[in-house]
Amino acid sequence: MAQGSGDQRALGIADPEESSPNMIVYRKIEDIITKMQDDKTGGVPIRTVKSFLSKIPSVVTGTDIVQWLMKNLSIEDPVEAIHLGSLIAAQGYVFPISDHVLTMKDDGTFYRFQAPYFWPSNCWEPENTDYAIYLCKRTMQNKARLELADYEAENLARLQRAFARKWEFIFMQAEAQVKIDRKKDKTERKILDSQERAFWDVHRPVPGCVNTTEMDIRKCRRLKNPQKVKKSVYGVTDESQSQSPVHIPSQPIRKTTKEDVRKQITFLNAQIDRHCLKMSKVAESLIAYTEQYVEYDPLITPAEPSNPWVSDDTALWDIEMSKEPSQQRVKRWGFSFDEILKDQVGRDQFLRFLESEFSSENLRFWLAVQDLKKQPLQDVAKRVEEIWQEFLAPGAPSAINLDSHSYEITSQNVKDGGRYTFEDAQEHIYKLMKSDSYARFLRSNAYQDLLLAKKKGKSLAGKRLTGLMQSS
């Protein structure tokens, strides 16, 4: 915390009570960025770098930025300068041109400065329609460097379903912007494309990256200590509630003090000022969910062969328990990742797909952790050690890909093993499978063939039944 506090003082974040409830924090960052780009006062050298077959215009290196910060902000520790650079990059003021991860590296990585038009101080609040226009525009520009990533393609498909009624308008907007961009100089267009991409890297980040817009300084201006309060769509929640229940230290019971009452008043005031969803959006979401699952509710849609809740025939349950899934059941796997995990047959099909991609250890780890939560207390410690040795220990036979933060937390939890020892690691693997492997599974030939085979089998059965009825 000592290191981070120095960086926060440099940006004006350390004492929120001393700053006014406007954009002072952003302004101070922008003052640093402006001085960094000023050649007359010894700014960072911005240059065009020659590549193999092309030129990379208007870039600086991470080393140049770190050295400038150390020299002009009187920072002695390079680690602190890198941390400060990462705080600036996380807001999108500078961004790497080679990837989508907004961090600062003290090496030869090329960075580019963001245009003032996209600065956070301009109170940009982009909507999903803006994002849809951007992704649609990217698909019209037939260049390898502008191809959509997997998560962007999934977002585009999701937005196209959500805005089906006005998609023609979105497409026309994107087409008009592409025509304007084509009239610009090639170098200028290349720089603008990267700046627009960096803007969406801040507001629609890559899965697994931190979304800095979720904790907006402006939304927390009424709180004395915004670092301890996390805002969501449903109100204010304490971050400590997201930790594993076993590893939360117990608090001693004490009497309520005046400070506790003040904190409660602050919390309730924040609840009153919380962000609320429009009723129309809530209704649309509820209607869409109901329409999607209406054919799976045996109390609403007549079941075939019969409804076990109405009659004494349990044939429907026998079909559901079989390992030969129906077309309706296979279709449901595509609704969400949780649907395929809840279905035993779906998990088996997904596991076979992961084995073909040599990544089955992710699902096996997730299932092992789920099984750990159901183990008797006397077997928990032994099972924790088995999971650790198989998936996480150095040289593990089925090592999983875990980020350093989750690995460190899990390593500490293993020392005092419990049912929720691997909670953080399991959540990371879940998100990894949901954003990566699950999307590829739905697009794979294995799932599509299974879905088409069930449709074909259903149509053939219908033809046979029709023929029997006509012959009779």
Side-chain angles (χ1 to χ4, degrees), residues 186-205:
K186 182 179 179 181
T187 301
E188 181 185 3
R189 187 167 65 248
K190 188 175 182 180
I191 295 173
L192 290 176
D193 287 340
S194 67
Q195 289 173 338
E196 188 175 13
R197 185 211 69 180
F199 171 79
W200 288 111
D201 285 342
V202 174
H203 294 275
R204 300 293 189 276

Side-chain angles (χ1 to χ4, degrees), residues 305-454:
S306 65
N307 188 341
W309 296 99
V310 177
S311 64
D312 294 332
D313 187 3
T314 60
L316 179 64
W317 288 339
D318 296 334
I319 294 174
E320 290 296 324
M321 291 297 292
S322 68
K323 294 186 178 181
E324 289 295 330
S326 61
Q327 185 267 340
Q328 188 184 36
R329 188 173 175 183
V330 174
K331 178 183 174 183
R332 184 168 179 169
W333 298 346
F335 289 174
S336 68
F337 186 46
D338 291 326
E339 290 292 346
I340 198 171
L341 290 180
K342 289 190 295 186
D343 194 326
Q344 176 63 46
V345 180
R347 290 200 303 268
D348 294 341
Q349 293 290 339
F350 186 50
L351 182 61
R352 292 195 192 101
F353 171 76
L354 293 179
E355 288 174 349
S356 66
E357 290 195 338
F358 304 100
S359 59
S360 61
E361 65 276 358
N362 291 331
L363 181 58
R364 289 190 286 110
F365 170 76
W366 188 88
L367 293 173
V369 176
Q370 287 294 99
D371 181 66
L372 171 65
K373 298 174 184 178
K374 305 173 185 177
Q375 293 292 322
L377 188 59
Q378 61 270 20
D379 299 336
V380 168
K382 178 182 177 182
R383 186 60 183 143
V384 166
E385 182 63 23
E386 291 175 352
I387 295 175
W388 172 263
Q389 293 299 331
E390 183 178 359
F391 297 101
L392 292 165
S398 302
I400 58 175
N401 185 14
L402 206 61
D403 65 291
S404 58
H405 178 69
S406 299
Y407 185 84
E408 183 179 352
I409 293 176
T410 306
S411 301
Q412 294 295 326
N413 292 346
V414 168
K415 297 178 182 179
D416 183 20
R419 289 193 177 97
Y420 297 90
T421 296
F422 302 101
E423 190 77 3
D424 296 279
Q426 186 189 32
E427 182 180 1
H428 176 81
I429 293 299
Y430 174 87
K431 292 179 179 179
L432 184 65
M433 291 192 296
K434 181 180 179 180
S435 62
D436 188 21
S437 303
Y438 173 66
R440 288 202 305 275
F441 171 73
L442 296 182
R443 297 195 299 267
S444 66
N445 294 331
Y447 178 74
Q448 295 297 330
D449 292 345
L450 188 61
L451 190 61
L452 293 174
K454 295 304 174 185

Side-chain angles (χ1 to χ4, degrees), residues 124-143:
W124 264 91
E125 293 291 344
E127 299 180 354
N128 285 333
T129 52
D130 301 322
Y131 189 45
I133 293 172
Y134 165 72
L135 294 177
C136 190
K137 183 173 66 173
R138 286 268 301 276
T139 61
M140 299 178 185
Q141 298 168 332
N142 188 19
K143 292 184 179 179

Side-chain angles (χ1 to χ4, degrees), residues 4-150:
S5 62
D7 299 333
Q8 292 178 348
R9 282 194 297 272
L11 298 179
I13 303 177
D15 298 317
E17 295 180 359
E18 297 177 3
S19 61
S20 58
N22 54 19
M23 307 308 293
I24 289 181
V25 175
Y26 286 142
R27 298 302 183 194
K28 289 194 174 184
I29 298 177
E30 290 161 11
D31 288 341
I32 296 175
I33 295 298
T34 303
K35 293 177 181 177
M36 203 178 292
Q37 298 180 76
D38 191 355
D39 294 334
K40 297 179 180 179
T41 58
V44 180
I46 303 175
R47 54 187 181 272
T48 298
V49 180
K50 292 184 178 180
S51 182
F52 177 61
L53 294 174
S54 62
K55 294 181 180 180
I56 307 175
S58 303
V59 294
V60 298
T61 64
T63 302
D64 292 337
I65 296 176
V66 172
Q67 290 179 354
W68 190 92
L69 292 172
M70 294 179 65
K71 178 181 177 181
N72 292 271
L73 299 182
S74 302
I75 300 176
E76 298 179 357
D77 189 357
V79 177
E80 187 173 355
I82 294 172
H83 181 61
L84 176 58
S86 296
L87 290 175
I88 296 174
Q91 301 296 330
Y93 288 98
V94 292
F95 58 89
I97 65 172
S98 57
D99 56 38
H100 297 266
V101 183
L102 300 176
T103 57
M104 182 61 60
K105 300 177 183 178
D106 189 10
D107 55 19
T109 302
F110 291 128
Y111 290 82
R112 187 170 285 146
F113 289 102
Q114 182 61 281
Y117 176 76
F118 292 116
W119 282 356
S121 60
N122 290 326
C123 301
W124 264 91
E125 293 291 344
E127 299 180 354
N128 285 333
T129 52
D130 301 322
Y131 189 45
I133 293 172
Y134 165 72
L135 294 177
C136 190
K137 183 173 66 173
R138 286 268 301 276
T139 61
M140 299 178 185
Q141 298 168 332
N142 188 19
K143 292 184 179 179
R145 64 185 178 86
L146 294 175
E147 289 180 355
L148 296 181
D150 288 343

Side-chain angles (χ1 to χ4, degrees), residues 243-249 420 423:
Q243 299 177 357
S244 304
V246 168
H247 300 286
I248 297 178
Y420 297 90
E423 190 77 3

